[in-house]
Amino acid sequence: MFYKKQISKFFKFDSVNATFKKEIIGGLTTFLAMVYILSVQPSILSQSPSINPANGNMNFGGIFIATAIAPFVGTVIMGLSANLPVGLAPSMGLNAVFTFNVAKNGIGYEGALIAVMISALLFCLVSATKIRILIMQSIPQSMKLAIGTGIGFFIAYIGFKDIGLVSASDSGLPIASLSQLKNTWPLILIGVAILSLIFILYFKKIPGAIAIAILCGLVISLIIGNVGKSEFIKANFAHWTNWSYSDFSSWKINFSNTYHAISNPKIWTSPTMYIAIFVFLFVSFFDTTGTLYSISHQISDQTGINYQLKKNALMADSFGTLTGSLIGCSPITTYVESSTGVAQGARTGFSSLIIAIMFLVAIVLYPLFKLITPCISGSCLIFVGSLMIKQLKDIEWVIPEISIAAFFTIITMIITYSITNGIAIGYLAYTLTALVNKKYKDVHIITYMLDVLFIGYFAAYAFVQ
């Protein structure tokens, strides 16, 4: 058909051996792995108080609408301008910082949204320059591999939390201890069963292995959720509820209150405001840059084609964050869950368009997508993480500064639940070890400059805790 030829030509299917079937399956798979954010984001941000106590907390319905629209805009831009198969959505981690460390620290959600907006504008300016490209070029190849490997372990860790094996803190972030197994064993059994099914389908080379497993898990979860009577079953398994669209009736209230609070002196005289701008910008920059590199390397590894990141890819996420801040959303980032779609054959920006469209569809079909519980998507993350760690073998472990930096990069990402923290500690370890071994001339000048920023980042972050 004519339209297929035009789409294939625009997204350069031939250059990466892409097919419509794999692009669609890959896009749907990535969306299903990301869909949890539509539930998690409103639950976290709705705890953010207003700077004016009379306004209460952020409006739940407004957060949900913003959580669907901002990823749509950012992902469309990514697909059309960068031709990269990734999805963008609110950053897990920064949404908790937004609520618990910024909004509750004297400037309310209005001040937090203004901080996001300013950091997004700065992000756009930085992305429009060659700074991000220069930074990526300054990183040794083995360090890049360590970042990708660390992300693999990172998303697997998220998966272990989601299937109930690892405990979660009050903010929802995992902590390094086994959960209450006497309560979570049903989730673990479902998660392990789905994970096993994915491996079986994958090694049998059946297309859409992850998507098929997610749908099977949804059926099982629905059966358990509607038959089981305990509060734990009701809270963790899919079940039909009387969900109403009336939650959306006041969706404008979040950004309306924000615009009215712009002239509030409490926002502009608070140190939290300026520290938050720096932290949001810094984390968004390195989270997204690391993830984009990891995804492009994954595509190169699977296709045998040297897939180079484009400058446009580095712009899309900054525009997504800017859009989100204007309508009431915490910072947007490129999702590591995109690797699930790539594992299913997604290669081009056409897959991103599928992801983006599904976020719009989710506004209408939210009751259905809400049924995909974390224990279902968590098994997918464990599977993809297991595929990504094979980069370990290519790291130059015999070089001291590389091996030490790689170790700290990987372990820090996991134990601090932050890609940015892992990159920061890895950079500092690399520089320090190189200096000790009198290899200071081998360290790129940009690396020294970034080390100063990383130290500043940790100092700034300490003040918003």
Side-chain angles (χ1 to χ4, degrees):
M1 294 183 180
F2 177 74
Y3 75 90
K4 282 191 174 182
K5 290 183 179 180
Q6 292 298 103
I7 292 175
S8 176
K9 182 179 179 180
F10 180 84
F11 289 104
K12 301 177 182 178
F13 277 21
D14 293 340
S15 65
V16 287
N17 300 319
T19 66
F20 275 94
K21 182 178 180 180
K22 289 183 178 180
E23 290 296 295
I24 293 172
I25 290 175
L28 291 174
T29 300
T30 295
F31 174 75
L32 292 175
M34 295 171 63
V35 72
Y36 68 87
I37 195 63
L38 292 171
S39 298
V40 175
Q41 177 80 349
S43 68
I44 294 177
L45 261 62
S46 61
Q47 300 177 58
S48 302
S50 170
I51 195 169
N52 180 0
N55 292 334
N57 289 356
M58 284 189 83
N59 176 263
F60 186 96
I63 299 168
F64 174 78
I65 292 292
T67 304
I69 294 178
F72 168 77
V73 173
T75 306
V76 165
I77 294 174
M78 181 69 76
L80 294 179
S81 66
N83 199 23
L84 197 64
V86 297
L88 287 77
S91 168
M92 279 297 296
L94 280 186
N95 50 12
V97 172
F98 179 101
T99 296
F100 302 109
N101 304 130
V102 180
K104 289 188 175 184
N105 208 6
I107 63 174
Y109 69 77
E110 296 90 347
L113 285 175
I114 294 172
V116 174
M117 190 184 307
I118 295 173
S119 69
L121 288 171
L122 295 174
F123 199 3
C124 289
L125 292 175
V126 171
S127 299
T129 67
K130 295 182 179 180
I131 294 177
R132 288 177 78 170
I133 296 295
L134 289 174
I135 289 174
M136 291 305 296
Q137 292 175 344
S138 71
I139 304 174
Q141 179 62 20
S142 288
M143 279 292 291
K144 293 179 181 178
L145 295 175
I147 292 171
T149 302
I151 290 175
F153 281 110
F154 173 73
I155 64 174
Y157 184 38
I158 297 173
F160 280 117
K161 188 270 294 186
D162 287 345
I163 69 171
L165 189 61
V166 178
S167 294
S169 63
D170 293 338
S171 64
L173 306 182
I175 55 177
S177 65
L178 291 177
S179 63
Q180 294 292 322
L181 300 182
K182 64 180 180 181
N183 296 325
T184 60
W185 66 266
L187 298 178
I188 297 173
L189 287 181
I190 295 295
V192 170
I194 297 172
L195 180 61
S196 301
L197 178 59
I198 294 175
F199 274 113
I200 292 171
L201 296 176
Y202 177 78
F203 288 120
K204 292 291 184 181
K205 300 186 183 302
I206 297 176
I210 297 177
I212 293 172
I214 288 176
L215 293 176
C216 290
L218 176 57
V219 172
I220 296 172
S221 184
L222 270 172
I223 293 173
I224 296 175
N226 285 280
V227 172
K229 302 298 182 183
S230 70
E231 291 301 317
F232 179 82
I233 293 295
K234 292 179 180 179
N236 293 280
F237 287 88
H239 56 92
W240 297 111
T241 57
N242 295 321
W243 190 85
S244 172
Y245 289 100
S246 62
D247 288 345
F248 296 161
S249 60
S250 55
W251 68 276
K252 298 179 182 179
I253 193 170
N254 293 333
F255 57 85
S256 176
N257 286 343
T258 300
Y259 294 145
H260 284 101
I262 288 178
S263 59
N264 191 322
K266 289 178 62 178
I267 291 176
W268 302 107
T269 57
S270 172
T272 299
M273 178 66 179
Y274 303 99
I275 295 171
I277 292 172
F278 178 70
V279 171
F280 287 151
L281 172 62
F282 199 84
V283 175
S284 296
F285 182 98
F286 284 99
D287 263 23
T288 300
T289 301
T291 302
L292 283 173
Y293 170 77
S294 178
I295 297 297
S296 63
H297 185 275
Q298 183 183 5
I299 296 174
S300 298
D301 187 54
Q302 293 184 2
T303 62
I305 300 169
N306 187 18
Y307 199 99
Q308 296 292 330
L309 272 179
K310 299 177 182 178
K311 179 180 176 181
N312 292 341
L314 307 178
M315 289 287 292
D317 50 82
S318 55
F319 279 113
T321 295
L322 181 58
T323 301
S325 67
L326 292 173
I327 60 176
C329 191
S330 57
I332 302 295
T333 190
T334 302
Y335 259 44
V336 293
E337 285 84 351
S338 302
S339 54
T340 60
V342 174
Q344 292 296 284
R347 299 288 180 267
T348 74
F350 183 67
S351 179
S352 293
L353 295 189
I354 300 299
I355 299 169
I357 291 171
M358 292 306 298
F359 269 105
L360 285 188
V361 173
I363 296 177
V364 179
L365 299 181
Y366 176 66
L368 177 62
F369 289 123
K370 191 176 181 181
L371 298 176
I372 302 175
T373 55
C375 73
I376 299 174
S377 59
S379 58
C380 305
L381 299 182
I382 296 173
F383 168 73
V384 174
S386 71
L387 299 182
M388 294 177 67
I389 64 171
K390 64 182 180 180
Q391 301 174 51
L392 275 171
K393 64 181 177 61
D394 297 320
I395 297 174
E396 299 171 294
W397 294 105
V398 295
I399 302 176
E401 58 269 24
I402 292 294
S403 61
I404 291 175
F407 168 76
F408 278 105
T409 297
I410 295 169
I411 195 67
T412 306
M413 280 190 192
I414 301 169
I415 62 176
T416 68
Y417 200 71
S418 169
I419 295 172
T420 297
N421 288 346
I423 295 174
I425 295 295
Y427 255 88
L428 293 171
Y430 171 73
T431 303
L432 181 60
T433 309
L435 291 176
V436 170
N437 288 324
K438 299 180 179 180
K439 295 182 179 180
Y440 55 89
K441 291 184 179 180
D442 294 339
V443 180
H444 199 287
I445 184 63
I446 292 179
T447 300
Y448 287 118
M449 296 169 63
L450 288 173
D451 287 334
V452 175
L453 287 176
F454 284 131
I455 293 172
Y457 158 70
F458 286 120
Y461 192 79
F463 284 96
V464 296
Q465 290 182 314

